[in-house]
């Protein structure tokens, strides 16, 4: 017993030593960073920039501090020490796990020191980058330090998670916590919600509350109803959110066709003008990619062809009725929306083009509304109906598809869910891996980045291939047959594309080249560190906090190493491994919240098993996600129509 106590005491002592060292180093480097940032403020006329980038009043405070950089450096240097003192006081007030507290503090301020050192080594190039550097060196480490305090104390999980989420959302509102990196990719802060008309704001809040209520009530009562009824109610909740959330932002519900007409946001409408002859467009696509705008330069020809087809259908009377119904459902004014779309496209749009854009909006809205059913389909491959329904309810409030709607990428989460759910059932029938392969081929036709789904399927097989649990050659033979069926539709697609003159391999090579050219100015190592934060935005901070607290990460890693995982843990490990590979590949360099949104419902489905015992926590988790959506939509820009003034 004495030896055990001595061992624990030694470990705690080492944790305290590391924590003290990290805080000291963070204080020193942050103090050195502050003058270099404030120097750019004092030396230029940045009052206008600060007024746009910070809430009212905070910009003036920063300007005054710029006149006394040594005082500012002293105040910043004391922040880590103040956090340490506050942590000690908190530990004294409530029963705390000192080892967890010290380790969390050490992690937070090691991150702070790393961020400050990186910024000092490279130097911020302008004021916005300097402010972001301070946020990464001080703001986010302070949040992690607070998390260490809350997670080490005896407060109920609901209270500790709620306090931490409120701190994060408050920090995002006042711009103390940066997202992204200015000049490369950043979600721009814009206080749109406070300027919304009161009637619109109240209506949007009521609809959001109604949607969240459905997401809470359906899992609690849905076990008594047929699954189709429960999933229909969750689809209704998703549509309510699509109607409500535009009320918190500047563009409003009239933005939907304009977002698809915008060269900044998609560029597929612009590319589709060359697709009057689809066969010729496909044949020359590999050569013409360098001349295409934005996203069309790095993607297969499928989306421009889809836009062209939608414009063709837009001339039919039935299409006009569908467009009107979609606009009415989403709360848009057809005439105002048409005017905004033409303004964004920078040319007059025909009635067929405007109606065609609304048809695409309808398709994307149906994909978002069907996402809860897609998550339910994934969950039912390894979990009971009650847990599957709870995961489906959380999928209603999954941030990324709602925040980026109507970007064409919001189609991916549903297709990823259906393809993965089919692959998880591959042992039941040969039809399932064939369906997974067909959906994967469709996804690859939409975007080459979706090839990563094959890595997920391989990871699922690998992490469950413990030789001591499988039946040897027979299991290997079954997996080989499933792999052949999985790859067959993709092979057929490539042969068909080659036969049509599309030259798929050349198109793929050109897409990779254009992707590297477009992102050449972005820093690979910077985004290796920032992608997890972007994932947290797209997955939702409440979900990230719940999973970080509930999951047994050591057991998950041990199971992955032993290749003995099953159920939700298997899916979660496969998703995390694939995201890690995507991050290390350096191909994304920003916008992970949008580009990786197909993975988020899979991570949600995989991690929900760890929340099985949270009887009261599900409702609070849904409420936290709803609040997060309101804040993110009302204070950050996700869909760009034109440059901010």
């Amino acid at each position: 017993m004495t030896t055990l106590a001595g061992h624990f005491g030694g470990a705690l002592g080492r944790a305290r030593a590391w924590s003290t060292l990290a805080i000291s180093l963070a204080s020193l480097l942050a103090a050195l960073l502050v003058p270099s940032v404030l120097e750019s403020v004092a030396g230029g006329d940045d009052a206008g920039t600060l007024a746009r980038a910070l809430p009212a009043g905070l910009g003036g405070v920063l300007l005054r501090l710029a006149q006394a950089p040594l005082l500012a450096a002293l105040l910043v240097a004391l922040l880590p020490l103040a956090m340490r003192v506050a942590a000690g006081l908190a530990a004294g007030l409530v029963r705390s796990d000192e080892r967890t507290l010290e380790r969390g503090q050490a992690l937070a301020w090691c991150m702070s020191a790393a961020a400050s050192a990186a910024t000092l080594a490279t130097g911020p190039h302008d004021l916005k980058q300097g402010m972001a550097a301070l946020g990464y060196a001080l703001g986010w480490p302070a949040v992690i330090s607070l998390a260490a305090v809350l997670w080490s104390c005896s407060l109920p999980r609901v209270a500790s998670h709620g306090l931490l989420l409120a701190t994060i959302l408050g920090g995002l509102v006042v711009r103390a916590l940066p997202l992204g990196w200015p000049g490369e990719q950043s979600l721009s802060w814009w206080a749109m919600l406070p300027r919304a008309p009161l009637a619109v704001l109240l209506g949007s809040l009521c609809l959001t509350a109604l949607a969240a209520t459905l997401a809470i009530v359906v899992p609690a009562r849905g076990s008594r109803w047929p699954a189709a009824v429960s999933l229909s109610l969750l689809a209704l909740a998703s549509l309510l959110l699509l109607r409500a959330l535009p009320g918190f932002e500047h563009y409003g519900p009239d933005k939907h066709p304009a977002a698809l007409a915008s060269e900044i946001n998609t560029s597929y409408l612009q590319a589709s003008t060359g697709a009057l002859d689809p066969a010729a467009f496909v044949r020359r696509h590999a050569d013409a990619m360098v001349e295409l705008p934005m996203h069309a330069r790095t993607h297969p020809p499928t989306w421009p062809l889809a836009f062209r087809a939608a414009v063709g259908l837009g001339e039919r009377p039935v299409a006009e009725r569908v467009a009107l119904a979609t606009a009415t459902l989403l709360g848009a004014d057809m005439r105002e929306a048409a005017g905004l779309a033409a303004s964004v496209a920078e040319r007059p749009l025909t009635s067929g083009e405007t109606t065609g854009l609304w048809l695409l909006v309808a398709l994307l809205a149906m994909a978002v509304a069907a996402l809860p059913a897609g998550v339910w389909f994934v969950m039912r491959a390894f979990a009971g109906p009650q847990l599957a329904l709870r995961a489906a309810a959380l999928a209603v409030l999954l941030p990324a598809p709602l925040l980026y709607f109507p970007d064409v990428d919001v189609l991916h989460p549903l297709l990823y869910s259906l393809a993965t759910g089919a692959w998880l059932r591959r042992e039941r029938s040969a039809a399932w891996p064939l369906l997974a392969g067909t959906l994967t081929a469709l996804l690859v036709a939409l975007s080459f980045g979706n090839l990563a789904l094959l890595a997920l399927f391989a990871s699922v097989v690998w992490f469950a291939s413990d030789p001591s649990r499988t039946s040897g050659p027979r299991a290997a033979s079954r997996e080989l047959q499933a792999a052949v069926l999985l790859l067959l539709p993709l092979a057929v697609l490539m042969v068909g594309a080659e036969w049509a003159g599309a030259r798929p391999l050349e198109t793929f090579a050109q897409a990779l080249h254009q992707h590297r050219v477009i992102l050449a100015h972005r820093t690979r190592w910077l985004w290796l560190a920032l992608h997890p934060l972007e994932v947290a935005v797209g997955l939702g901070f409440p979900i990230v906090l719940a999973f970080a607290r509930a999951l047994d990460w050591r057991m998950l890693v041990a199971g992955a190493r032993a290749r003995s995982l099953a159920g939700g843990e298997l899916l979660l490990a496969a998703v995390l491994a694939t995201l890690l590979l995507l991050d290390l590949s350096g191909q994304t360099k920003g916008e992970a919240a949008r580009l990786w949104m197909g993975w988020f419902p899979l991570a949600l489905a995989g991690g929900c098993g760890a929340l099985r015992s949270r009887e009261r926590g599900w409702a609070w988790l849904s409420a936290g996600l709803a609040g997060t959506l309101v804040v993110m939509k009302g204070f950050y820009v996700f869909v760009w129509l034109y440059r901010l003034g």
Side-chain angles (χ1 to χ4, degrees):
M1 189 71 177
T2 304
T3 304
L4 182 63
H7 177 73
F8 178 78
L12 180 58
R14 288 192 295 273
R16 283 179 174 170
W18 276 108
S19 178
T20 301
L21 177 62
I23 289 174
S24 301
L25 187 60
S27 300
L28 174 62
L29 292 176
L32 294 175
L33 174 63
V34 168
S36 65
V37 174
L38 294 183
E39 183 179 353
S40 64
V41 179
D45 183 14
D46 291 307
T49 300
L50 290 172
R52 290 191 299 271
L54 292 173
L58 291 184
V61 172
L62 192 60
L63 284 171
R64 286 193 290 272
L65 287 175
Q67 306 303 319
L70 293 180
L71 174 61
L74 177 62
L75 293 175
V76 167
L78 292 176
L79 178 60
L81 179 61
M83 292 296 297
R84 176 61 177 270
V85 172
L89 292 175
L93 292 174
V94 292
R95 191 168 62 253
S96 299
D97 179 352
E98 293 186 59
R99 192 174 180 183
T100 300
L101 177 60
E102 295 296 338
R103 284 182 171 180
Q105 295 269 301
L107 172 65
W109 299 111
C110 279
M111 292 177 61
S112 171
S116 296
T119 306
L120 288 169
T122 58
H125 301 292
D126 58 29
L127 174 60
K128 288 185 178 180
Q129 290 187 352
M131 292 166 55
L134 285 176
Y136 287 121
L138 296 172
W140 284 109
V143 169
I144 297 174
S145 182
L146 175 62
V149 173
L150 293 173
W151 289 8
S152 65
C153 71
S154 58
L155 285 176
R157 286 191 177 186
V158 169
S160 60
H161 288 183
L163 180 56
L164 188 56
L165 178 61
T167 302
I168 292 174
L169 296 182
L172 292 173
V173 167
V174 301
R175 203 65 172 111
L177 301 177
L179 296 174
W181 189 251
E184 294 193 11
Q185 187 277 325
S186 183
L187 292 173
S188 293
W189 183 89
W190 190 7
M192 299 172 283
L193 186 145
R195 302 176 185 177
L198 182 60
V200 174
L201 182 60
L202 291 177
S204 295
L205 288 173
C206 288
L207 289 178
T208 302
L210 178 58
T213 300
L214 283 173
I216 294 170
V217 171
V218 169
R221 306 285 185 180
S223 59
R224 309 171 187 173
W225 308 330
V229 173
S230 299
L231 294 176
S232 297
L233 290 173
L234 294 180
L236 173 61
S238 296
L239 292 174
L240 288 174
L241 287 171
L242 291 180
R243 174 70 180 261
L245 292 177
F248 303 125
E249 63 173 340
H250 171 75
Y251 299 124
D254 297 333
K255 71 173 183 184
H256 297 310
L260 297 180
S262 167
E263 182 176 320
I264 298 175
N265 201 56
T266 62
S267 76
Y268 294 122
L269 178 66
Q270 287 73 15
S272 71
T273 57
L276 294 174
D277 183 349
F281 180 79
V282 167
R283 286 195 298 270
R284 67 171 183 267
H285 185 69
D287 298 324
M289 289 174 74
V290 66
E291 301 172 358
L292 293 175
M294 293 296 289
H295 297 83
R297 288 172 58 187
T298 61
H299 286 69
T302 309
W303 273 118
L305 292 174
F307 273 65
R308 171 51 56 187
V311 170
L313 291 173
E315 301 291 347
R316 302 182 180 183
V318 65
E320 295 180 0
R321 291 194 289 271
V322 172
L324 178 59
T326 304
T328 303
L329 177 68
L330 298 178
D333 181 282
M334 288 283 286
R335 182 174 299 178
E336 293 293 331
L340 182 58
S343 174
V344 169
E346 299 181 346
R347 65 175 178 85
L349 298 179
T350 66
S351 61
E353 287 178 317
T354 302
T355 302
L357 292 173
W358 274 114
L359 294 180
L360 291 167
V361 171
L363 171 66
L364 298 171
M366 286 190 293
V368 174
L371 181 57
V375 171
W376 184 87
F377 176 67
V378 174
M379 290 289 293
R380 290 296 286 126
F382 56 82
Q386 181 62 28
L387 187 60
L389 198 56
R390 284 179 168 175
L394 290 182
V396 169
L397 299 155
L398 195 65
L402 296 167
L403 295 176
Y404 284 98
F405 183 83
D407 193 289
V408 296
D409 291 321
V410 304
L411 188 61
H412 294 171
L414 175 63
L415 296 179
Y416 270 56
S417 298
L418 296 177
T420 303
W423 182 248
L424 293 174
R425 293 167 169 82
R426 66 193 179 280
E427 296 180 353
R428 305 179 188 180
S429 167
W432 290 118
L434 188 60
L435 175 60
T438 302
L439 292 169
T440 301
L442 172 60
L443 282 162
V444 173
L446 297 175
S447 173
F448 289 122
N450 293 326
L451 281 166
L453 197 55
L454 296 176
L456 173 75
F457 296 156
S459 298
V460 167
V461 174
W462 177 258
F463 289 142
S465 61
D466 182 1
S468 65
R469 298 172 53 191
T470 59
S471 54
R474 291 186 58 188
S477 176
R478 287 197 304 269
E479 292 295 0
L480 180 60
Q481 292 174 12
V484 170
L485 292 171
L486 172 70
L487 296 175
L488 181 61
L490 186 58
V492 171
L493 174 64
M494 290 186 63
V495 171
E498 191 68 43
W499 177 79
R503 296 175 290 162
L505 294 180
E506 292 183 39
T507 302
F508 179 57
Q510 183 63 241
L512 288 178
H513 173 68
Q514 294 300 324
H515 189 267
R516 286 193 294 269
V517 170
I518 292 173
L519 300 184
H521 70 288
R522 297 188 183 180
T523 309
R524 173 177 178 173
W525 295 106
L526 172 68
W527 289 105
L528 291 183
L530 292 185
H531 280 150
L533 177 57
E534 294 245 333
V535 168
V537 172
L539 187 57
F541 290 108
I543 293 176
V544 172
L545 294 177
F547 284 179
R549 185 76 171 268
L551 287 167
D552 189 337
W553 296 99
R554 291 184 178 180
M555 292 293 291
L556 188 66
V557 172
R561 287 178 176 175
R563 293 184 287 162
S564 60
L565 295 175
E569 290 183 341
L570 171 61
L571 178 58
L572 181 61
V575 170
L576 293 179
T578 307
L579 289 178
L580 180 60
L581 289 175
L582 288 173
D583 192 21
L584 295 177
S585 72
Q587 293 298 310
T588 302
K589 293 184 181 180
E591 300 183 77
R594 176 179 66 85
L595 296 174
W596 294 354
M597 74 169 71
W599 304 102
F600 301 153
L602 305 182
L604 173 64
C608 268
L611 307 179
R612 188 178 288 106
S613 62
R614 291 166 54 101
E615 292 301 327
R616 293 175 54 236
W618 292 95
W620 287 109
L621 190 53
S622 297
L625 282 169
T628 300
L629 285 170
V630 172
V631 169
M632 298 304 298
K633 198 64 171 177
F635 288 88
Y636 287 84
V637 182
F638 288 86
V639 176
W640 291 81
L641 301 185
Y642 43 77
R643 298 188 182 278
L644 299 179

